[in-house]
Amino acid sequence: MDRIRIVGGAKLHGTIPVSGAKNAALPLMIASLLTPETLTLENVPRLSDVRMLKRILGNHGVDITVAGKRLGDREDDGETVKLTAGSIVDTVAPYELVSQMRASFWVVAPLLARMGEAKVSLPGGCAIGTRPVDLLLMALEKLGAEIEIEGGYVLARAPKGLKGGEIDFAKVTVGGTHTALMAAVLAHGTSIIRNAAREPEVGDLARCLVKMGAKISGIDTSVLEVTGVGSLKGAHHRVLPDRIEAGTYAFATAMAGGDVTLTDVQPHLLQSALDRLSDAGATVTTTENSIRVSRNGNGLAAVNIETEAFPGFPTDLQAQFMALMTKAQGTSRITETIFENRFMHVSELARFGAKIRLDGDTAIVEGMPVLKGAPVMATDLRASVSLVIAALAAEGETMINRVYHLDRGFEQLESKLQRCGAEVERIRG
Ligand code: EPZ
Protein backbone atom coordinates (compact mmCIF):
# COMPACT_ATOMS: atom_id res chain seq x y z
CA MET A 1 0.00 0.00 0.00
CA ASP A 2 1.39 3.43 -0.92
CA ARG A 3 2.48 5.86 1.77
CA ILE A 4 3.27 9.56 1.67
CA ARG A 5 6.34 10.92 3.41
CA ILE A 6 6.47 14.59 4.30
CA VAL A 7 9.27 16.51 5.97
CA GLY A 8 7.74 19.62 7.47
CA GLY A 9 9.11 23.11 7.66
CA ALA A 10 9.34 24.26 4.04
CA LYS A 11 7.34 27.35 3.16
CA LEU A 12 5.18 27.05 0.04
CA HIS A 13 5.82 29.37 -2.91
CA GLY A 14 4.34 29.06 -6.37
CA THR A 15 1.18 28.33 -8.32
CA ILE A 16 -1.24 25.45 -7.93
CA PRO A 17 -3.77 24.76 -10.68
CA VAL A 18 -7.06 23.55 -9.21
CA SER A 19 -8.65 20.46 -10.76
CA GLY A 20 -12.26 19.85 -11.73
CA ALA A 21 -14.52 19.10 -8.77
CA LYS A 22 -14.92 15.44 -7.87
CA ASN A 23 -18.33 16.13 -6.36
CA ALA A 24 -19.50 17.78 -9.56
CA ALA A 25 -17.92 15.23 -11.91
CA LEU A 26 -19.62 12.25 -10.25
CA PRO A 27 -23.27 13.38 -10.61
CA LEU A 28 -22.51 14.78 -14.09
CA MET A 29 -21.21 11.38 -15.19
CA ILE A 30 -24.29 9.72 -13.71
CA ALA A 31 -26.50 12.11 -15.68
CA SER A 32 -25.21 10.48 -18.87
CA LEU A 33 -27.65 7.63 -18.10
CA LEU A 34 -30.52 10.00 -18.90
CA THR A 35 -29.88 10.15 -22.64
CA PRO A 36 -28.95 7.76 -25.47
CA GLU A 37 -26.81 10.55 -26.94
CA THR A 38 -23.23 11.42 -25.97
CA LEU A 39 -22.49 13.60 -22.96
CA THR A 40 -19.00 15.09 -23.21
CA LEU A 41 -17.49 16.27 -19.96
CA GLU A 42 -14.31 18.34 -19.93
CA ASN A 43 -11.94 18.83 -17.02
CA VAL A 44 -12.84 15.55 -15.30
CA PRO A 45 -10.31 14.97 -12.52
CA ARG A 46 -8.14 11.85 -12.61
CA LEU A 47 -9.25 10.30 -9.33
CA SER A 48 -9.96 6.80 -8.14
CA ASP A 49 -13.61 7.69 -7.42
CA VAL A 50 -14.00 8.72 -11.06
CA ARG A 51 -12.41 5.46 -12.23
CA MET A 52 -14.75 3.50 -9.96
CA LEU A 53 -17.79 5.31 -11.34
CA LYS A 54 -16.65 4.58 -14.90
CA ARG A 55 -16.75 0.87 -13.97
CA ILE A 56 -20.21 1.21 -12.45
CA LEU A 57 -21.61 3.09 -15.45
CA GLY A 58 -19.94 0.61 -17.82
CA ASN A 59 -21.88 -2.11 -16.07
CA HIS A 60 -25.15 -0.37 -16.97
CA GLY A 61 -24.09 -0.20 -20.62
CA VAL A 62 -22.51 3.26 -20.85
CA ASP A 63 -19.71 3.44 -23.44
CA ILE A 64 -16.97 5.63 -22.08
CA THR A 65 -14.02 7.02 -23.99
CA VAL A 66 -11.36 9.48 -22.96
CA ALA A 67 -10.28 11.92 -25.63
CA GLY A 68 -6.59 12.14 -26.49
CA LYS A 69 -4.59 15.33 -26.13
CA ARG A 70 -5.52 18.22 -28.43
CA LEU A 71 -3.46 21.17 -29.60
CA GLY A 72 -3.95 24.04 -27.19
CA ASP A 73 -4.96 21.78 -24.29
CA ARG A 74 -3.75 23.11 -20.97
CA GLU A 75 -1.27 20.78 -19.31
CA ASP A 76 -3.11 20.76 -16.02
CA ASP A 77 -6.57 20.24 -17.45
CA GLY A 78 -8.49 17.14 -16.48
CA GLU A 79 -9.67 14.52 -18.93
CA THR A 80 -12.31 14.96 -21.59
CA VAL A 81 -14.65 12.04 -21.07
CA LYS A 82 -17.37 11.04 -23.53
CA LEU A 83 -20.20 8.98 -22.08
CA THR A 84 -22.83 7.34 -24.27
CA ALA A 85 -25.66 5.35 -22.75
CA GLY A 86 -27.05 4.23 -26.15
CA SER A 87 -28.99 1.49 -24.48
CA ILE A 88 -29.07 0.56 -20.84
CA VAL A 89 -28.39 -3.15 -20.57
CA ASP A 90 -28.68 -3.56 -16.81
CA THR A 91 -30.73 -1.62 -14.26
CA VAL A 92 -29.05 -3.34 -11.30
CA ALA A 93 -26.26 -1.62 -9.37
CA PRO A 94 -24.74 -4.39 -7.27
CA TYR A 95 -23.51 -4.27 -3.69
CA GLU A 96 -19.87 -4.95 -4.69
CA LEU A 97 -19.75 -1.67 -6.63
CA VAL A 98 -22.13 0.63 -4.70
CA SER A 99 -20.62 -0.24 -1.33
CA GLN A 100 -17.31 1.24 -2.43
CA MET A 101 -18.65 4.68 -3.23
CA ARG A 102 -21.78 6.22 -1.81
CA ALA A 103 -22.40 8.59 -4.73
CA SER A 104 -22.98 5.62 -7.02
CA PHE A 105 -26.34 5.12 -5.29
CA TRP A 106 -27.51 8.18 -7.24
CA VAL A 107 -27.77 6.04 -10.41
CA VAL A 108 -31.16 5.02 -9.03
CA ALA A 109 -32.73 8.26 -10.31
CA PRO A 110 -31.71 8.25 -13.99
CA LEU A 111 -32.23 4.48 -14.29
CA LEU A 112 -35.74 4.83 -12.90
CA ALA A 113 -36.52 7.92 -14.96
CA ARG A 114 -35.38 6.40 -18.23
CA MET A 115 -36.10 2.69 -17.78
CA GLY A 116 -39.00 2.72 -15.28
CA GLU A 117 -37.08 0.50 -12.86
CA ALA A 118 -33.86 0.26 -10.88
CA LYS A 119 -32.42 -2.12 -8.35
CA VAL A 120 -29.62 -0.47 -6.43
CA SER A 121 -27.76 -1.72 -3.39
CA LEU A 122 -28.09 0.40 -0.25
CA PRO A 123 -24.79 2.24 0.19
CA GLY A 124 -24.30 1.38 3.87
CA GLY A 125 -22.41 3.31 6.52
CA CYS A 126 -19.03 4.93 6.19
CA ALA A 127 -16.28 6.52 8.19
CA ILE A 128 -18.10 9.84 8.67
CA GLY A 129 -21.21 8.44 10.34
CA THR A 130 -24.39 6.73 9.24
CA ARG A 131 -25.56 8.32 6.04
CA PRO A 132 -29.14 7.28 5.33
CA VAL A 133 -30.94 7.54 1.98
CA ASP A 134 -34.46 8.11 3.36
CA LEU A 135 -34.70 11.59 1.82
CA LEU A 136 -33.57 10.34 -1.58
CA LEU A 137 -36.25 7.64 -1.52
CA MET A 138 -38.88 10.12 -0.30
CA ALA A 139 -38.08 12.33 -3.30
CA LEU A 140 -38.54 9.43 -5.72
CA GLU A 141 -41.83 8.45 -4.06
CA LYS A 142 -43.12 12.01 -4.41
CA LEU A 143 -42.53 11.60 -8.14
CA GLY A 144 -44.66 8.47 -8.20
CA ALA A 145 -42.06 5.74 -7.72
CA GLU A 146 -42.93 2.58 -5.83
CA ILE A 147 -40.09 1.72 -3.50
CA GLU A 148 -39.36 -1.54 -1.73
CA ILE A 149 -36.31 -2.55 0.22
CA GLU A 150 -35.36 -6.19 -0.09
CA GLY A 151 -32.16 -7.99 0.80
CA GLY A 152 -30.15 -4.79 1.12
CA TYR A 153 -31.38 -3.48 -2.22
CA VAL A 154 -33.71 -0.64 -3.10
CA LEU A 155 -36.20 -1.74 -5.74
CA ALA A 156 -37.67 1.31 -7.42
CA ARG A 157 -40.42 1.04 -10.02
CA ALA A 158 -42.42 3.45 -12.11
CA PRO A 159 -43.84 1.30 -14.92
CA LYS A 160 -45.88 4.15 -16.40
CA GLY A 161 -43.08 6.68 -15.89
CA LEU A 162 -42.50 9.21 -13.15
CA LYS A 163 -44.87 12.14 -12.71
CA GLY A 164 -44.26 15.66 -11.45
CA GLY A 165 -44.66 16.22 -7.73
CA GLU A 166 -43.74 18.43 -4.79
CA ILE A 167 -40.65 17.51 -2.83
CA ASP A 168 -39.96 19.23 0.49
CA PHE A 169 -36.63 18.25 1.97
CA ALA A 170 -36.69 18.29 5.78
CA LYS A 171 -32.91 18.70 5.68
CA VAL A 172 -30.61 20.11 3.04
CA THR A 173 -29.21 17.15 1.12
CA VAL A 174 -26.84 17.35 -1.80
CA GLY A 175 -27.42 13.76 -2.92
CA GLY A 176 -31.16 14.15 -2.38
CA THR A 177 -31.24 17.21 -4.61
CA HIS A 178 -29.15 15.52 -7.33
CA THR A 179 -31.53 12.54 -7.17
CA ALA A 180 -34.67 14.67 -7.31
CA LEU A 181 -33.33 16.67 -10.25
CA MET A 182 -32.30 13.65 -12.29
CA ALA A 183 -35.67 11.99 -11.68
CA ALA A 184 -37.79 15.09 -12.32
CA VAL A 185 -36.24 16.05 -15.67
CA LEU A 186 -37.89 13.09 -17.42
CA ALA A 187 -41.12 12.99 -15.34
CA HIS A 188 -44.52 13.88 -16.81
CA GLY A 189 -45.45 17.35 -15.60
CA THR A 190 -43.87 19.87 -13.27
CA SER A 191 -42.02 19.23 -10.03
CA ILE A 192 -41.08 21.63 -7.26
CA ILE A 193 -38.06 20.86 -5.09
CA ARG A 194 -38.08 22.88 -1.85
CA ASN A 195 -35.16 23.33 0.57
CA ALA A 196 -32.95 22.18 -2.29
CA ALA A 197 -29.19 22.14 -1.67
CA ARG A 198 -27.55 25.26 -3.10
CA GLU A 199 -24.09 23.69 -3.25
CA PRO A 200 -22.35 24.79 -6.46
CA GLU A 201 -22.06 21.17 -7.57
CA VAL A 202 -25.88 20.95 -7.64
CA GLY A 203 -25.94 24.09 -9.80
CA ASP A 204 -23.35 22.53 -12.09
CA LEU A 205 -25.49 19.43 -12.57
CA ALA A 206 -28.59 21.55 -13.19
CA ARG A 207 -26.77 23.67 -15.81
CA CYS A 208 -25.58 20.55 -17.61
CA LEU A 209 -29.10 19.09 -17.55
CA VAL A 210 -30.40 22.32 -19.11
CA LYS A 211 -27.81 21.95 -21.90
CA MET A 212 -29.19 18.43 -22.39
CA GLY A 213 -32.66 19.90 -22.92
CA ALA A 214 -34.08 19.85 -19.38
CA LYS A 215 -36.37 22.63 -18.19
CA ILE A 216 -35.19 23.83 -14.77
CA SER A 217 -35.67 27.20 -13.12
CA GLY A 218 -34.41 28.51 -9.80
CA ILE A 219 -30.88 27.13 -10.31
CA ASP A 220 -28.60 28.08 -7.36
CA THR A 221 -31.63 28.85 -5.17
CA SER A 222 -33.36 26.61 -2.62
CA VAL A 223 -36.48 26.20 -4.75
CA LEU A 224 -36.09 24.40 -8.05
CA GLU A 225 -38.89 24.05 -10.56
CA VAL A 226 -38.51 21.28 -13.12
CA THR A 227 -40.82 20.68 -16.05
CA GLY A 228 -40.30 17.19 -17.38
CA VAL A 229 -39.47 16.59 -21.05
CA GLY A 230 -39.93 13.46 -23.17
CA SER A 231 -36.23 12.89 -23.77
CA LEU A 232 -32.86 14.52 -23.28
CA LYS A 233 -30.05 14.94 -25.77
CA GLY A 234 -26.26 14.95 -25.67
CA ALA A 235 -24.30 17.98 -24.52
CA HIS A 236 -20.86 19.38 -23.83
CA HIS A 237 -20.03 20.58 -20.33
CA ARG A 238 -16.92 21.64 -18.43
CA VAL A 239 -16.75 20.43 -14.82
CA LEU A 240 -16.73 23.17 -12.22
CA PRO A 241 -13.42 23.80 -10.38
CA ASP A 242 -12.99 21.98 -7.08
CA ARG A 243 -13.68 24.49 -4.29
CA ILE A 244 -12.69 21.93 -1.64
CA GLU A 245 -9.32 21.26 -3.27
CA ALA A 246 -8.79 25.03 -3.55
CA GLY A 247 -9.66 25.58 0.10
CA THR A 248 -7.36 22.74 1.13
CA TYR A 249 -4.33 24.29 -0.58
CA ALA A 250 -5.28 27.73 0.72
CA PHE A 251 -5.24 26.36 4.29
CA ALA A 252 -2.02 24.42 3.60
CA THR A 253 -0.31 27.64 2.55
CA ALA A 254 -1.48 29.45 5.65
CA MET A 255 -0.24 26.54 7.75
CA ALA A 256 3.19 26.19 6.15
CA GLY A 257 3.68 29.91 5.48
CA GLY A 258 4.71 31.33 2.09
CA ASP A 259 2.83 32.71 -0.87
CA VAL A 260 0.76 30.58 -3.26
CA THR A 261 -1.60 31.45 -6.09
CA LEU A 262 -4.39 29.02 -6.88
CA THR A 263 -5.54 29.19 -10.48
CA ASP A 264 -8.64 27.93 -12.34
CA VAL A 265 -10.90 28.58 -9.35
CA GLN A 266 -14.13 30.44 -8.68
CA PRO A 267 -13.30 32.24 -5.41
CA HIS A 268 -16.89 33.32 -4.72
CA LEU A 269 -17.82 29.65 -4.25
CA LEU A 270 -15.43 29.52 -1.31
CA GLN A 271 -16.12 32.85 0.34
CA SER A 272 -16.99 31.63 3.83
CA ALA A 273 -13.82 29.54 4.08
CA LEU A 274 -11.65 32.36 2.71
CA ASP A 275 -13.19 34.78 5.22
CA ARG A 276 -12.29 32.47 8.12
CA LEU A 277 -8.78 32.11 6.69
CA SER A 278 -8.39 35.91 6.68
CA ASP A 279 -9.71 36.00 10.26
CA ALA A 280 -6.95 33.53 11.14
CA GLY A 281 -4.37 36.03 9.89
CA ALA A 282 -3.55 34.91 6.34
CA THR A 283 -3.56 37.48 3.56
CA VAL A 284 -6.10 36.44 0.95
CA THR A 285 -6.64 38.26 -2.33
CA THR A 286 -8.80 37.09 -5.19
CA THR A 287 -9.45 37.81 -8.84
CA GLU A 288 -12.30 36.38 -10.87
CA ASN A 289 -10.47 33.05 -11.27
CA SER A 290 -7.58 33.00 -8.82
CA ILE A 291 -6.89 33.09 -5.11
CA ARG A 292 -3.60 34.25 -3.64
CA VAL A 293 -2.82 33.24 -0.07
CA SER A 294 0.20 34.34 1.90
CA ARG A 295 1.42 34.31 5.45
CA ASN A 296 4.86 35.57 6.27
CA GLY A 297 6.12 35.76 9.81
CA ASN A 298 2.93 36.45 11.71
CA GLY A 299 1.31 33.64 13.69
CA LEU A 300 -2.16 32.25 13.18
CA ALA A 301 -5.09 33.44 15.29
CA ALA A 302 -7.64 31.03 16.74
CA VAL A 303 -10.98 31.20 14.89
CA ASN A 304 -14.25 29.38 15.63
CA ILE A 305 -16.17 27.76 12.82
CA GLU A 306 -19.42 25.89 12.40
CA THR A 307 -20.06 23.83 9.30
CA GLU A 308 -23.21 24.63 7.35
CA ALA A 309 -24.82 23.93 4.01
CA PHE A 310 -23.68 26.26 1.20
CA PRO A 311 -22.94 29.17 1.38
CA GLY A 312 -21.78 28.39 4.93
CA PHE A 313 -18.47 26.87 5.89
CA PRO A 314 -18.27 23.48 4.08
CA THR A 315 -18.09 20.26 6.09
CA ASP A 316 -15.61 19.01 3.49
CA LEU A 317 -13.10 21.63 4.78
CA GLN A 318 -13.71 21.07 8.48
CA ALA A 319 -10.84 18.61 9.04
CA GLN A 320 -8.41 20.81 7.12
CA PHE A 321 -9.38 23.89 9.16
CA MET A 322 -8.94 21.92 12.35
CA ALA A 323 -5.40 21.03 11.26
CA LEU A 324 -4.73 24.73 10.73
CA MET A 325 -6.05 25.60 14.17
CA THR A 326 -3.72 23.11 15.88
CA LYS A 327 -0.97 25.73 15.48
CA ALA A 328 -3.02 28.86 16.15
CA GLN A 329 -2.47 31.11 19.16
CA GLY A 330 -5.39 30.39 21.47
CA THR A 331 -8.35 28.05 21.54
CA SER A 332 -10.81 27.51 18.71
CA ARG A 333 -14.14 25.71 18.62
CA ILE A 334 -14.98 23.68 15.54
CA THR A 335 -18.59 22.56 15.33
CA GLU A 336 -19.75 19.96 12.82
CA THR A 337 -23.45 20.27 12.05
CA ILE A 338 -23.75 18.26 8.82
CA PHE A 339 -22.42 14.83 9.76
CA GLU A 340 -22.76 13.21 13.16
CA ASN A 341 -19.32 11.64 13.40
CA ARG A 342 -16.89 13.51 11.22
CA PHE A 343 -14.06 13.72 13.73
CA MET A 344 -11.96 10.69 12.80
CA HIS A 345 -8.99 13.00 12.21
CA VAL A 346 -8.92 14.16 15.85
CA SER A 347 -7.04 11.13 17.16
CA GLU A 348 -4.62 11.22 14.22
CA LEU A 349 -3.92 14.96 14.63
CA ALA A 350 -3.16 14.20 18.28
CA ARG A 351 -0.17 12.14 17.08
CA PHE A 352 1.48 15.39 15.98
CA GLY A 353 1.07 16.67 19.54
CA ALA A 354 -2.14 18.59 18.80
CA LYS A 355 -4.41 19.22 21.78
CA ILE A 356 -8.02 18.59 20.80
CA ARG A 357 -10.94 17.70 23.03
CA LEU A 358 -14.33 16.56 21.80
CA ASP A 359 -17.54 17.86 23.32
CA GLY A 360 -20.51 16.44 21.39
CA ASP A 361 -20.52 17.97 17.94
CA THR A 362 -17.72 20.39 18.82
CA ALA A 363 -13.96 19.96 18.83
CA ILE A 364 -12.07 22.31 21.09
CA VAL A 365 -8.61 22.91 19.71
CA GLU A 366 -5.90 24.41 21.84
CA GLY A 367 -3.23 25.73 19.50
CA MET A 368 0.34 24.58 20.08
CA PRO A 369 3.51 26.44 19.10
CA VAL A 370 5.14 23.28 17.75
CA LEU A 371 3.83 20.11 16.08
CA LYS A 372 6.06 17.08 15.65
CA GLY A 373 5.99 14.71 12.66
CA ALA A 374 4.64 11.21 13.34
CA PRO A 375 3.38 8.07 11.61
CA VAL A 376 -0.34 8.58 10.99
CA MET A 377 -3.16 6.86 9.18
CA ALA A 378 -5.63 8.27 6.70
CA THR A 379 -9.33 7.57 7.39
CA ASP A 380 -11.70 9.38 5.02
CA LEU A 381 -10.39 11.56 2.25
CA ARG A 382 -10.79 14.99 3.85
CA ALA A 383 -9.41 13.66 7.15
CA SER A 384 -6.41 12.35 5.24
CA VAL A 385 -5.56 15.66 3.72
CA SER A 386 -5.82 17.36 7.11
CA LEU A 387 -2.86 15.16 8.10
CA VAL A 388 -0.95 16.45 5.08
CA ILE A 389 -1.61 20.01 6.25
CA ALA A 390 -0.39 19.25 9.77
CA ALA A 391 2.68 17.44 8.41
CA LEU A 392 3.71 20.44 6.28
CA ALA A 393 4.15 22.52 9.43
CA ALA A 394 5.37 19.79 11.79
CA GLU A 395 9.00 19.39 12.78
CA GLY A 396 10.63 16.34 11.22
CA GLU A 397 9.15 13.49 9.23
CA THR A 398 5.55 12.32 8.90
CA MET A 399 4.57 9.08 7.23
CA ILE A 400 0.94 8.94 6.10
CA ASN A 401 -0.37 5.42 5.68
CA ARG A 402 -3.42 4.23 3.69
CA VAL A 403 -3.20 7.03 1.16
CA TYR A 404 -5.76 5.46 -1.15
CA HIS A 405 -8.23 7.74 0.59
CA LEU A 406 -6.28 10.75 -0.72
CA ASP A 407 -6.28 9.34 -4.23
CA ARG A 408 -10.08 9.31 -4.16
CA GLY A 409 -10.22 13.09 -4.03
CA PHE A 410 -6.92 14.86 -4.68
CA GLU A 411 -5.37 14.76 -8.13
CA GLN A 412 -1.55 14.90 -8.18
CA LEU A 413 -1.36 16.00 -4.58
CA GLU A 414 2.37 15.32 -4.20
CA SER A 415 3.41 17.04 -7.41
CA LYS A 416 1.21 20.08 -6.74
CA LEU A 417 2.85 20.52 -3.34
CA GLN A 418 6.36 19.65 -4.57
CA ARG A 419 6.14 22.36 -7.21
CA CYS A 420 5.65 24.85 -4.37
CA GLY A 421 8.71 23.63 -2.50
CA ALA A 422 7.21 21.12 -0.07
CA GLU A 423 9.28 18.08 0.81
CA VAL A 424 6.76 15.39 -0.03
CA GLU A 425 7.11 12.04 -1.77
CA ARG A 426 5.04 8.94 -2.41
CA ILE A 427 6.55 5.67 -1.37
CA ARG A 428 5.05 2.92 -3.49
CA GLY A 429 4.36 -0.53 -2.24
C1 EPZ B 1 -22.27 15.16 -0.52
O1 EPZ B 1 -22.61 13.97 0.17
C2 EPZ B 1 -20.79 15.09 -0.79
N1 EPZ B 1 -20.49 13.92 -1.61
C3 EPZ B 1 -20.03 15.03 0.52
O2 EPZ B 1 -18.64 15.04 0.24
C4 EPZ B 1 -20.37 16.27 1.34
O3 EPZ B 1 -19.73 16.19 2.59
C5 EPZ B 1 -21.89 16.35 1.54
O4 EPZ B 1 -22.56 16.32 0.25
C6 EPZ B 1 -22.34 17.61 2.26
O5 EPZ B 1 -21.90 18.74 1.56
C7 EPZ B 1 -20.55 14.00 -2.93
O6 EPZ B 1 -20.94 15.00 -3.50
C8 EPZ B 1 -20.11 12.81 -3.70
P1 EPZ B 1 -25.93 15.03 2.01
P2 EPZ B 1 -24.12 13.56 0.36
O7 EPZ B 1 -27.00 14.18 1.44
O8 EPZ B 1 -24.91 14.00 -0.80
C9 EPZ B 1 -28.25 13.53 5.92
C10 EPZ B 1 -16.43 14.25 0.29
O9 EPZ B 1 -15.57 14.21 1.18
N2 EPZ B 1 -29.12 12.74 5.04
O10 EPZ B 1 -25.92 16.47 1.67
O11 EPZ B 1 -24.13 12.11 0.67
C11 EPZ B 1 -26.82 13.02 5.93
O12 EPZ B 1 -26.67 11.91 6.80
C12 EPZ B 1 -17.87 13.87 0.58
O13 EPZ B 1 -16.19 14.56 -0.89
C13 EPZ B 1 -30.22 12.10 5.58
O14 EPZ B 1 -30.47 12.17 6.79
O15 EPZ B 1 -24.50 14.38 1.65
C14 EPZ B 1 -26.08 14.24 6.39
O16 EPZ B 1 -26.17 14.37 7.77
C15 EPZ B 1 -18.05 13.35 1.96
N3 EPZ B 1 -31.01 11.35 4.76
C16 EPZ B 1 -26.86 15.39 5.73
O17 EPZ B 1 -28.15 14.84 5.42
C17 EPZ B 1 -30.76 11.25 3.42
O18 EPZ B 1 -31.52 10.57 2.73
C18 EPZ B 1 -26.25 15.93 4.45
O19 EPZ B 1 -25.94 14.85 3.59
C19 EPZ B 1 -29.65 11.93 2.88
C20 EPZ B 1 -28.84 12.66 3.71
Side-chain angles (χ1 to χ4, degrees):
M1 239 182 267
D2 289 4
R3 291 175 296 162
I4 287 182
R5 177 177 169 272
I6 297 176
V7 179
K11 289 195 186 324
L12 303 181
H13 285 276
T15 299
I16 299 181
V18 172
S19 297
K22 167 183 83 84
N23 288 351
L26 299 178
L28 287 166
M29 290 170 70
I30 290 173
S32 69
L33 288 166
L34 287 164
T35 172
E37 296 183 17
T38 300
L39 176 64
T40 304
L41 298 175
E42 283 174 26
N43 201 28
V44 176
R46 296 171 186 82
L47 297 170
S48 60
D49 270 12
V50 167
R51 281 193 293 277
M52 171 58 73
L53 186 58
K54 284 180 184 166
R55 269 185 64 197
I56 293 168
L57 294 175
N59 209 41
H60 294 299
V62 183
D63 286 327
I64 302 175
T65 56
V66 176
K69 258 194 151 160
R70 297 283 183 280
L71 265 178
D73 273 359
R74 288 186 301 178
E75 203 186 316
D76 297 301
D77 241 13
E79 289 178 338
T80 296
V81 181
K82 290 175 185 285
L83 304 106
T84 313
S87 50
I88 290 175
V89 296
D90 196 344
T91 55
V92 180
Y95 172 79
E96 297 73 50
L97 297 177
V98 180
S99 59
Q100 298 193 39
M101 189 179 52
R102 183 181 160 86
S104 57
F105 183 79
W106 302 340
V107 298
V108 68
L111 290 175
L112 180 64
R114 187 162 153 203
M115 305 299 290
E117 60 170 39
K119 179 177 175 185
V120 180
S121 169
L122 284 164
C126 77
I128 59 176
T130 52
R131 293 169 73 186
V133 289
D134 55 326
L135 299 173
L136 282 68
L137 301 183
M138 175 279 287
L140 296 175
E141 280 177 334
K142 293 284 182 192
L143 301 183
E146 293 157 23
I147 307 277
E148 276 175 70
I149 297 185
E150 208 179 276
Y153 278 78
V154 169
L155 309 176
R157 266 185 289 263
K160 293 192 194 124
L162 294 168
K163 53 183 183 0
E166 301 213 355
I167 300 167
D168 262 292
F169 284 115
K171 200 177 199 178
V172 174
T173 157
V174 171
T177 310
H178 286 322
T179 303
L181 267 176
M182 286 193 273
V185 287
L186 287 182
H188 303 287
T190 297
S191 302
I192 309 279
I193 307 171
R194 295 202 179 82
N195 200 22
R198 286 182 288 157
E199 268 63 8
E201 295 74 22
V202 172
D204 207 33
L205 172 67
R207 285 188 184 85
C208 179
L209 291 170
V210 167
K211 288 182 193 164
M212 293 165 73
K215 294 197 171 135
I216 306 172
S217 61
I219 295 176
D220 293 333
T221 75
S222 55
V223 182
L224 297 166
E225 187 174 315
V226 185
T227 302
V229 294
S231 63
L232 292 176
K233 53 188 193 322
H236 217 99
H237 187 79
R238 185 176 170 84
V239 178
L240 186 80
D242 197 322
R243 64 196 167 102
I244 304 302
E245 190 198 21
T248 300
Y249 290 124
F251 295 176
T253 307
M255 184 69 159
D259 189 341
V260 169
T261 300
L262 306 167
T263 57
D264 306 327
V265 281
Q266 295 186 16
H268 68 282
L269 302 182
L270 197 55
Q271 201 54 53
S272 59
L274 296 179
D275 288 346
R276 297 293 80 74
L277 189 58
S278 302
D279 294 345
T283 305
V284 181
T285 48
T286 59
T287 68
E288 204 183 318
N289 55 9
S290 75
I291 301 171
R292 182 174 170 190
V293 180
S294 62
R295 184 175 71 81
N296 292 305
N298 57 327
L300 289 161
V303 172
N304 299 336
I305 59 153
E306 185 165 318
T307 62
E308 280 172 84
F310 189 83
F313 191 99
T315 173
D316 288 347
L317 282 173
Q318 180 256 104
Q320 298 91 313
F321 198 79
M322 191 184 298
L324 185 66
M325 289 296 102
T326 60
K327 272 203 81 179
Q329 287 153 6
T331 302
S332 54
R333 295 175 64 83
I334 296 185
T335 303
E336 172 60 53
T337 71
I338 308 292
F339 291 108
E340 66 193 23
N341 182 26
R342 203 173 195 179
F343 284 133
M344 302 296 281
H345 39 286
V346 167
S347 55
E348 293 305 301
L349 288 171
R351 293 181 196 275
F352 293 93
K355 271 199 171 169
I356 308 169
R357 184 164 59 80
L358 284 179
D359 180 11
D361 62 0
T362 299
I364 298 147
V365 186
E366 207 182 301
M368 305 292 286
V370 176
L371 298 179
K372 295 234 159 93
V376 289
M377 197 180 350
T379 49
D380 75 80
L381 79 140
R382 310 303 175 189
S384 314
V385 86
S386 77
L387 305 176
V388 172
I389 292 178
L392 289 172
E395 280 179 0
E397 179 185 292
T398 293
M399 192 67 84
I400 304 179
N401 297 291
R402 290 204 190 166
V403 297
Y404 56 84
H405 287 292
L406 280 171
D407 297 333
R408 291 184 48 209
F410 291 90
E411 187 177 6
Q412 296 180 41
L413 175 104
E414 309 92 272
S415 74
K416 287 184 180 185
L417 287 171
Q418 275 161 4
R419 277 193 264 170
C420 292
E423 201 176 330
V424 42
E425 63 171 335
R426 178 179 290 249
I427 300 169
R428 305 229 172 242

